[in-house]
Amino acid sequence: YFADSTPLNIMNADRLYQLFPESYFINMLRDGRDVAYSVCQEKWGPSDPLLGLEWWKSRVLRGHLATAQLPQKNVLHMRLEDLVQRDREGSYAQLLNFLNLDHVEKMDTYFNEVLTVENMLQGVWKSEVNCPADFDRRYQQILKELAEQGLTIAQYY
């Protein structure tokens, strides 16, 4: 097994699959508002949360287009919010099943101790971005724009 969480890899999944045809890809998606706010805190990210939303949109679309080229049995799209909060046990079981793995103590421990609601910082953007209503309005527009480009948002969000 080899695992890498570099987001660029999912955007190049079609190319990677050509090199490694037995590979599996987990496209872990997170609420774009949380992502946009988070990357704006990094030196390498966009400096403005609204630009962060555009950055997120581009990456999500590119990842969708790349994974759409693969056999769907080799791709799992999963929401971080489901894995951490909304359906922890079901999502974790789905992940293990997809990878054809049994429970492993180290992985179970990581899941229970690190992948927690407290560590996820979900919704921080609501109190940290300027004009959260405008920020959310742009996010909702982006979701519609992605749907118009063939990304079935309901499938992931």
Side-chain angles (χ1 to χ4, degrees), residues 104-118:
V104 176
E105 186 176 343
K106 261 184 148 174
M107 197 162 137
D108 291 347
T109 300
Y110 182 85
F111 177 70
N112 289 318
E113 294 179 5
V114 177
L115 289 179
T116 64
V117 173
E118 299 78 29

Side-chain angles (χ1 to χ4, degrees), residues 69-84:
Q69 310 277 331
L70 307 179
Q72 290 310 291
K73 69 176 184 58
N74 292 63
V75 181
L76 174 65
H77 299 281
M78 181 173 278
R79 283 295 303 262
L80 180 63
E81 294 86 356
D82 290 339
L83 183 63
V84 173

Side-chain angles (χ1 to χ4, degrees), residues 32-80:
R33 295 164 295 191
D34 290 326
V35 173
Y37 174 72
S38 179
V39 300
C40 288
Q41 307 309 304
E42 303 293 338
K43 291 178 183 176
W44 49 262
S47 59
D48 177 87
L50 285 171
L51 293 174
L53 285 175
E54 302 302 327
W55 179 88
W56 174 83
K57 172 188 170 185
S58 170
R59 287 173 170 261
V60 167
L61 181 58
R62 288 171 53 199
H64 169 73
L65 294 172
T67 58
Q69 310 277 331
L70 307 179
Q72 290 310 291
K73 69 176 184 58
N74 292 63
V75 181
L76 174 65
H77 299 281
M78 181 173 278
R79 283 295 303 262
L80 180 63

Side-chain angles (χ1 to χ4, degrees), residues 1 6 11 15 19 21 28-29 34 41 44 48 65 70-71 76 93-95 107-109 111 120 142 145:
Y1 290 95
T6 306
M11 296 185 311
R15 293 181 183 115
L19 296 170
M28 185 65 67
L29 297 155
D34 290 326
Q41 307 309 304
W44 49 262
D48 177 87
L65 294 172
L70 307 179
L76 174 65
Q94 181 184 20
L95 179 63
M107 197 162 137
D108 291 347
T109 300
F111 177 70
M120 194 167 86
I142 286 173
E145 291 167 11

Side-chain angles (χ1 to χ4, degrees), residues 7-8 10 12 44-45 50 52 57 90 110 116 119 138 146 153:
L8 289 174
I10 207 68
N12 290 291
W44 49 262
L50 285 171
K57 172 188 170 185
Y110 182 85
T116 64
N119 288 344
R138 178 62 190 133
L146 289 171
I153 299 302

